[in-house]
Amino acid sequence: MTEPDLDEFSSRRSTVYGQRGVVATSQPLASQAGISVLEDGGNAFDAAVATAAALNVVEPTSTGLGGDVFALYRTADGEVGAMRSCGPAPQDATIENVRDAVADEQGVDPSDAEMPDTGAHAVTVPGTARGWETTAKTFGEKSLSELLRPAIQYARDGYPVSEVVSAQWQHGEELFEDDNAREAFLFDGEAPSTGQTVTLPRLADTMERIAEEGADVVYEGDVAEQIADEVQRHGGFLTVDDLASFEPEFLDPVSTTYNGAEVYELPPNNQGLIALEALNVAEEVGAGDYDLDSPERVHYFAEAMKLAFHDGHRYITDPEFEDHPPLGSKRWAKRRAEQVGDTANHDVSFGVPDANAEDADTVLLCVADDEGNVVSYINSRFAGFGSGLVAGDTGIALQNRGSSFSLDPEHPNSLAPGKRPFHTLIPALADFAPDDDERDDWAAFGVMGGYMQPQGHLQVISNVVDYDLPLQAALDRPRWRYREDGALALEPHFDSHAAAKLVRKGHDVETLPAALFGGAQIVRNEDGTLSGATEPRKDGNAQGY
């Protein structure tokens, strides 16, 4: 392991180390929940579930029981795998049915109706509760009841709201229209202020039900009935049968090698192939051969990203409905790399399946333990507070992931009954020594924020692999992102000379707030040395013990 030169140390904080485990999240209280489970004898999977549940309470703006959950993991016995707990559209949600319903709401002809961003038609079956339960039962050492205790305690006894979450909570004041939503998440009609101690008793009650009776209460019991009733009351098509038929699935990750490392991502319906294609094209054009601070490095990585976005947004959808070409292959990348030159390519369209996903936010957490388990776990409702609907008195805010569907039957992500929408969520793994049987060097990581996610993966992997940066420095480096409108956005503290040179290369450069470049987490098990990092674009916190 390379030791950082402290005279050159420029990160905002240092990498965190632990002997028994490391947890990295966007919230200190959630990290503490995961650490407490590890201290009590749980493994990384147990800690992941406990941490995700705690985030459901302490960062309810971004995640919750009404959303979906995904995992990439490497187990102590060497298994590399993925879990997808992502619900589909309701069985009655045909394009014709939704068009007619939306047309009435929007006051337009059915042929002009568009998929709404929020509301009942944007709700898909939530996968979170069964995803948590499946993770715990399959890989954990503790019961779901034990793992939910920290979250229930936060919801029942209260916790102080952080600055970032307080700011995000303001969105609910405009979004929530029904009394049950406002009563569940607003306080005298207002979002909580920074430092205000809040309780979420309705959510606490529901989580206690899940702890006592299992996830089935969300899919088959009276909680399921309240979810279906809420959607139908607002004109949607979700039924209890849609909920009852849902099950998580285990699948094989997709992967590629990048300059000696192997990177694993989720396959479609998630955008993991976008990250892999970008890595392959970047490797093909030698993007990582340039100096860390050089504009050439940014240029070639961004050009690789453009091509990957174009292809991924053209082809990625639910694989049960449509096939896709080998976007993650070296052969595909070699052909696509022929379009990368010394100046910006303006003939590549973004091909966005859902423009609202560009700046969506979420939560991702990473855990490593001393048994050898590493887990990247991502749990989201899509937009802040999701659809704006809260199911009855359950405290469950329902996701708006269905807004990624199109009502155009020719679109790859066209709406269909039982179809899963295009998903931005991508946890990730990296094996930094895939060809060395004597070394064990695995990382679980992720970068949050809609279409920032694959771009963040590209930059974090390059920072570690190409430049051997410590974990914290790899996350702290200023980021760039390619935008749907063709602009190349840079963080405010990006080198101004590099920005000027990128303009001369033909890029439409703009500076955007740091919050739009995603929070990030990473943990690593390098020959038994456990480390982790996060960064303060949100309330990032990594803890070890």
Side-chain angles (χ1 to χ4, degrees):
M1 181 173 60
T2 302
E3 295 294 331
D5 182 349
L6 295 183
D7 292 329
E8 298 292 330
F9 188 75
S10 60
S11 291
R12 304 167 193 170
R13 60 178 90 176
S14 61
T15 300
V16 169
Y17 293 88
Q19 290 182 302
R20 298 289 305 281
V22 176
V23 179
T25 81
S26 57
Q27 279 289 320
L29 293 174
S31 296
Q32 184 56 49
I35 287 292
S36 68
V37 168
L38 291 173
E39 290 176 333
D40 195 39
N43 64 17
F45 294 96
D46 293 313
V49 173
T51 304
L55 284 165
N56 183 114
V57 178
V58 300
E59 197 174 336
T61 53
S62 300
T63 186
L65 284 163
D68 290 332
V69 61
F70 301 85
L72 276 179
Y73 54 85
R74 191 259 190 173
T75 66
D77 60 6
E79 177 190 355
V80 179
M83 183 196 72
R84 175 165 57 200
S85 195
C86 162
Q91 287 298 321
D92 291 334
T94 64
I95 287 180
E96 182 179 16
N97 285 345
V98 173
R99 268 185 177 170
D100 289 343
V102 170
D104 289 341
E105 296 170 4
Q106 297 176 346
V108 298
D109 186 270
S111 62
D112 296 324
E114 296 183 354
M115 199 70 190
D117 297 333
T118 58
H121 301 297
V123 177
T124 47
V125 173
T128 295
R130 279 204 169 134
W132 290 351
E133 185 176 68
T134 298
T135 302
K137 285 184 175 180
T138 306
F139 300 108
E141 298 175 359
K142 291 185 169 293
S143 68
L144 183 62
S145 177
E146 292 177 277
L147 301 181
L148 295 185
R149 284 176 188 166
I152 293 170
Q153 182 176 353
Y154 288 145
R156 182 75 67 201
D157 298 341
Y159 65 93
V161 176
S162 71
E163 293 169 311
V164 171
V165 174
S166 173
Q168 293 174 335
W169 212 308
Q170 308 297 319
H171 176 59
E173 294 181 7
E174 296 182 1
L175 178 66
F176 295 141
E177 297 180 357
D178 282 1
D179 287 344
N180 52 355
R182 299 183 70 83
E183 290 171 4
F185 289 104
L186 299 182
F187 307 88
D188 294 325
E190 297 181 348
S193 58
T194 299
Q196 179 178 339
T197 297
V198 301
T199 61
L200 300 174
R202 295 185 176 193
L203 187 57
D205 290 344
T206 297
M207 296 184 82
E208 284 185 344
R209 292 279 310 280
I210 297 170
E212 294 168 0
E213 304 172 44
D216 280 354
V217 299
V218 176
Y219 298 91
E220 299 175 15
D222 62 294
V223 174
E225 292 174 358
Q226 291 189 65
I227 292 172
D229 288 346
E230 185 70 27
V231 173
Q232 292 173 28
R233 187 165 64 86
H234 289 84
F237 300 100
L238 187 73
T239 68
V240 172
D241 287 342
D242 291 318
L243 295 165
S245 63
F246 173 74
E247 291 292 341
E249 55 191 323
F250 289 98
L251 59 156
D252 294 327
V254 288
S255 70
T256 193
T257 56
Y258 174 77
N259 288 348
E262 185 159 10
V263 181
Y264 296 83
E265 298 277 358
L266 283 174
N269 58 319
N270 299 67
Q271 62 175 341
L273 285 176
I274 294 176
L276 298 187
E277 181 179 346
L279 284 167
N280 285 335
V281 174
E283 183 183 58
E284 182 70 25
V285 301
D289 296 339
Y290 295 92
D291 290 342
L292 179 61
D293 294 315
S294 69
E296 288 80 11
R297 176 189 183 234
V298 177
H299 166 74
Y300 286 109
F301 274 116
E303 291 299 292
M305 200 74 244
K306 285 183 187 179
L307 296 169
F309 269 132
H310 175 272
D311 294 346
H313 288 168
R314 180 180 179 184
Y315 293 112
I316 293 176
T317 188
D318 186 333
E320 293 185 11
F321 286 76
E322 190 169 333
D323 293 330
H324 60 81
L327 302 180
S329 71
K330 299 291 187 182
R331 177 173 55 85
W332 181 273
K334 187 176 182 64
R335 181 170 63 85
R336 298 299 275 142
E338 295 173 359
Q339 296 191 32
V340 177
D342 294 334
T343 58
N345 184 352
H346 296 288
D347 295 327
V348 180
S349 64
F350 206 121
V352 183
D354 178 14
N356 295 297
E358 182 164 30
D359 294 324
D361 206 355
T362 186
V363 297
L364 175 135
L365 63 99
C366 299
V367 188
D369 64 30
D370 61 352
E371 297 176 19
N373 300 300
V374 293
V375 186
S376 182
Y377 210 70
I378 193 164
N379 200 169
S380 175
R381 272 196 235 98
F382 200 22
F385 284 117
S387 65
L389 303 184
V390 175
D393 62 4
T394 66
I396 297 178
L398 301 172
Q399 66 184 346
N400 67 322
R401 187 59 64 172
S403 65
S404 292
F405 284 124
S406 171
L407 296 181
D408 176 0
E410 301 302 316
H411 194 284
N413 286 287
S414 60
L415 176 67
K419 185 177 183 178
R420 293 166 296 193
F422 175 94
H423 241 290
T424 55
L425 303 185
I426 44 171
L429 293 178
D431 180 359
F432 293 123
D435 300 322
D436 190 341
D437 294 336
E438 302 300 317
R439 290 189 60 207
D440 195 30
D441 191 357
W442 283 83
F445 69 100
V447 178
M448 296 167 281
Y451 297 144
M452 183 62 211
Q453 294 189 44
Q455 307 193 69
H457 288 199
L458 186 70
Q459 292 169 73
V460 170
I461 284 295
S462 173
N463 288 344
V464 175
V465 173
D466 295 327
Y467 305 98
D468 201 25
L469 293 184
L471 297 188
Q472 190 62 56
L475 299 191
D476 284 348
R477 289 288 307 173
R479 296 187 194 133
W480 53 266
R481 66 178 298 179
Y482 177 55
R483 303 285 291 176
E484 184 272 334
D485 62 5
L488 180 63
L490 307 177
E491 284 199 76
H493 53 292
F494 215 95
D495 180 79
S496 59
H497 298 293
K501 290 181 180 179
L502 287 167
V503 171
R504 291 197 290 273
K505 283 185 172 293
H507 293 282
D508 180 12
V509 175
E510 63 180 4
T511 300
L512 293 178
L516 292 178
F517 293 83
Q521 275 72 243
I522 186 169
V523 297
R524 187 174 186 177
N525 184 336
E526 187 175 3
D527 292 325
T529 298
L530 304 179
S531 57
T534 184
E535 39 75 33
R537 289 174 177 89
K538 295 184 78 175
D539 293 320
N541 178 262
Q543 296 183 29
Y545 91 104

